[in-house]
Amino acid sequence: MKTVFALGQVGRFASAAICVAALSACTTTAPVTPAVAAKPSLQSMLSQASTASGAGQKEQAVTLWKQAAVAYPADKSPWLSIAQTRYEAGQYGDAIVNAQEVLVRDPNDTLANSIIAISGLRLSTRSLADLSRQNNLSGSLRTESQDLAKLLRESLGETVLVPPAQPPVQQAATPTRGKGKKAPATRKQQEDDASANPFGALK
């Protein structure tokens, strides 16, 4: 009888210990998760990039603007700043690409449209000047270039795209072999004329 009573007490103590352990496990607090750092505001990111740009650190500024563009993908401001920076550096291809990102977000942005138009004209001027020097402006390329020049003249309301260069100050006349005959232009003069007015052949 005593043995049975002792075993019963041991069983009750074991059950109590199990209950206490279970209750203590239930009351344990959940592990604390580390706080997530708040995303910086768009204004602070743009301000930081503008400061870098003002200090002459253009590539650092572009990196910061790209980070802002990733953090705030719907905003056009970072792309517009990158487009302006590339345009001012003469990197017209990159300027066009970034200005197009602006137009995806705001098709009516005047500055982005201006950057694309002027950058495109400057790239075209370079290419036409190179083609003129190489005497390769012919065929369908010449026809398309003439159509483009006509469209540009009509859009700008100008009769010619590039005004003629001012004549140089006349020097003392030098005798020529034939009266009234103009001396033929040298190769150097022809190249200078082509680079000064690459649209000359398209008037």
Side-chain angles (χ1 to χ4, degrees):
M1 212 45 195
K2 287 182 180 180
T3 305
V4 172
F5 179 74
L7 287 173
Q9 282 184 330
V10 170
R12 283 196 295 275
F13 283 133
S15 299
I18 291 171
C19 288
V20 170
L23 289 172
S24 64
C26 290
T27 57
T28 333
T29 56
V32 179
T33 56
V36 179
K39 182 169 71 171
S41 68
L42 175 64
Q43 194 57 43
S44 66
M45 296 181 82
L46 294 178
S47 177
Q48 188 179 1
S50 296
T51 301
S53 177
Q57 301 171 344
K58 301 297 183 181
E59 290 306 316
Q60 176 66 20
V62 168
T63 300
L64 293 170
W65 280 318
K66 286 182 178 178
Q67 291 173 359
V70 171
Y72 296 90
D75 199 279
K76 68 177 183 178
S77 303
W79 296 109
L80 190 57
S81 297
I82 297 172
Q84 283 182 291
T85 300
R86 294 307 191 202
Y87 174 80
E88 291 167 1
Q91 299 172 0
Y92 300 120
D94 286 344
I96 291 172
V97 170
N98 289 287
Q100 286 173 333
E101 290 288 346
V102 176
L103 296 183
V104 168
R105 292 154 180 82
D106 180 7
N108 298 319
D109 190 282
T110 305
L111 182 55
N113 278 306
S114 299
I115 288 174
I116 291 173
I118 299 172
S119 296
L121 281 172
R122 292 192 174 179
L123 288 174
S124 298
T125 301
R126 288 179 184 175
S127 298
L128 286 171
D130 289 340
L131 288 171
S132 296
R133 280 194 295 268
Q134 297 164 14
N135 294 321
N136 285 333
L137 193 59
S138 59
S140 62
L141 178 61
R142 181 183 181 86
T143 302
E144 290 181 18
S145 300
Q146 287 173 330
D147 291 341
L148 175 59
K150 180 181 177 183
L151 176 62
L152 289 171
R153 286 196 300 270
E154 291 173 354
S155 300
L156 297 172
E158 300 289 343
T159 55
V160 292
L161 289 176
V162 182
Q166 294 295 327
V169 179
Q170 290 189 355
Q171 299 176 350
T174 54
T176 56
R177 292 180 181 175
K179 185 177 179 181
K181 290 184 179 180
K182 189 176 179 181
T186 64
R187 176 74 176 171
K188 178 73 169 57
Q189 289 172 331
Q190 292 174 349
E191 290 180 355
D192 289 344
D193 290 342
S195 60
N197 185 4
F199 294 101
L202 306 178
K203 293 180 183 178

